[in-house]
Amino acid sequence: MKVAITSTGNSLDSTIDQRFGRCAYFVIYDTETGGVEILPNPNRDAQEGAGPASVQLVASRDVRKIISGEFGMKIKSLLDSLRIQMVVYKEPEKTVQSVIDMLKK
Amino acid sequence: MSPRPKRLRRVSNPPIISGFKPYGGEVRDRPKGSVFLHFEEYEVIRLCDFENLSHHDASKIMDVSRPTLTRIYAKARAKIAEAMVTGKQIIIEGGKIYFDSDWHICNGCGCYFNQPDKGNRVTECPLCGSGTIENCEAMNVDMAESHRQCADLCACPECGYERPHEPANPCKDQLCPVCGTHLMRKNNLLAKDI
């Protein structure tokens, strides 16, 4: 299963981005192979519609779970219809690596 | 005059398949075309006939009025009957709907999460894997209750009697239990003094 984690930088030592739609990078972690892919978010500076566009990006990678600090208004019904799970994790100091370690357990 | 816009219907369980196909009979006898069953009509059949809920309870779950729900139900049955009698295929799609799922909280790592796939029951946190999770619905009720409490006070302009204000109960319609004067909001009373 693939999990997307929003990140502030393009390494695993970066912290979790507290926003979903306009986060800097998406870290896509595969729980079966342990592989990690880092995608820059093209919607980072979008005026509007960043959330739905990011959902599309993440869904195209076949992600089943998204971990972020916050999700916008338009996101929930979209993700519900795509059957993607949302995890709201409000720990701005935690690094992406620590989240991956939690998922491994 | 334009008609009133349709209220969005809440669908908590999307169907696991996208339609039904007829089989048997002569293929060339089968009619062309299909019956389009909307998501809300699927949901209504699920709630009323599969879960055996009353129309009243189902209408609350779908966030529409009871008469609207009964209308959707009648339409759903008419469509299914048409498909069965004429041998058309059923395609489940469309409708004025939004998908919804419940929120849960994990006491192990403090994260919130939802479960879009209602078929599986939530037993552990998707992040830390601990089993100490709670449904947020109970908490939402508590929050709604505490919201009803407002910080304002009803006060008596004559004797200074005070009590917490109850929402939807205007103070000026009530009498002071001490001296029988009409009560006022404390804020208004203070403003009047100034």
Side-chain angles (χ1 to χ4, degrees):
Chain A
M1 183 183 67
K2 282 187 179 171
V3 184
I5 305 156
T6 58
S7 161
T8 50
N10 63 352
S11 75
L12 294 182
D13 300 323
S14 323
T15 54
I16 306 168
D17 202 315
Q18 290 301 294
R19 298 160 307 166
F20 169 69
R22 289 182 179 79
C23 70
Y25 293 89
F26 289 109
V27 176
I28 296 178
Y29 170 67
D30 194 322
T31 49
E32 273 127 47
T33 63
V36 170
E37 183 184 11
I38 300 177
L39 294 174
N41 186 0
N43 316 303
R44 193 177 175 179
D45 303 310
Q47 282 291 319
E48 62 177 59
S54 299
V55 168
Q56 217 163 31
L57 175 78
V58 169
S60 70
R61 303 278 158 160
D62 218 17
V63 161
R64 308 268 24 113
K65 195 190 281 183
I66 302 174
I67 300 165
S68 181
E70 219 170 273
F71 293 90
M73 293 264 300
K74 301 172 191 160
I75 310 284
K76 183 154 187 276
S77 56
L78 268 176
L79 289 180
D80 277 344
S81 57
L82 293 166
R83 298 186 170 217
I84 296 174
Q85 188 174 42
M86 289 187 273
V87 180
V88 182
Y89 192 49
K90 285 199 185 274
E91 297 281 349
E93 276 96 54
K94 284 271 168 83
T95 61
V96 174
Q97 185 62 53
S98 66
V99 173
I100 291 177
D101 290 341
M102 282 167 97
L103 288 169
K104 274 183 190 160
K105 270 188 270 174
Chain B
M1 286 236 285
S2 54
R4 279 185 70 77
K6 271 188 185 161
R7 192 178 169 80
L8 283 175
R9 293 94 162 89
R10 177 162 63 207
V11 174
S12 43
N13 245 359
I16 50 172
I17 40 133
S18 44
F20 293 93
K21 266 189 171 171
Y23 76 100
E26 287 289 321
V27 176
R28 64 188 146 78
D29 289 345
R30 284 196 207 142
K32 291 268 183 317
S34 7
V35 172
F36 291 93
L37 191 74
H38 292 166
F39 279 118
E40 71 235 36
E41 289 158 356
Y42 161 82
E43 177 80 350
V44 118
I45 294 280
R46 186 183 73 82
L47 291 171
C48 295
D49 292 337
F50 185 70
E51 307 242 327
N52 276 325
L53 296 176
S54 70
H55 286 196
H56 187 80
D57 294 338
S59 71
K60 281 190 184 148
I61 291 172
M62 287 184 69
D63 200 19
V64 292
S65 73
R66 206 276 311 146
T68 303
L69 186 113
T70 304
R71 253 182 293 115
I72 301 171
Y73 182 67
K75 206 161 179 187
R77 292 191 78 138
K79 281 186 180 176
I80 291 170
E82 186 200 341
M84 280 180 136
V85 173
T86 62
K88 284 181 182 169
Q89 62 172 343
I90 301 177
I91 296 172
I92 307 177
E93 68 172 28
K96 275 285 254 185
I97 52 143
Y98 68 99
F99 290 104
D100 200 13
S101 56
D102 288 344
W103 286 102
H104 302 269
I105 185 168
C106 167
N107 292 328
C109 61
C111 72
Y112 293 89
F113 60 95
N114 72 339
Q115 180 75 350
D117 192 8
K118 287 279 179 67
N120 304 338
R121 261 186 61 78
V122 225
T123 47
E124 56 178 32
C125 170
L127 193 58
C128 64
S130 89
T132 52
I133 50 164
E134 268 177 60
N135 195 325
C136 280
E137 211 162 304
M139 282 156 56
N140 288 347
V141 173
D142 287 349
M143 266 155 73
E145 275 299 309
S146 65
H147 227 78
R148 282 191 60 79
Q149 287 278 330
C150 86
D152 231 353
L153 292 170
C154 302
C156 174
E158 296 296 325
C159 64
Y161 167 83
E162 279 177 7
R163 69 167 180 218
H165 176 75
E166 278 173 49
N169 234 346
C171 334
K172 64 176 168 51
D173 295 346
Q174 290 169 54
L175 299 178
C176 171
V178 183
C179 61
T181 329
H182 284 281
L183 295 176
M184 272 180 90
R185 281 289 184 102
K186 196 176 180 199
N187 285 355
N188 293 353
L189 194 66
L190 293 174
K192 209 167 130 190
D193 286 345
I194 296 162

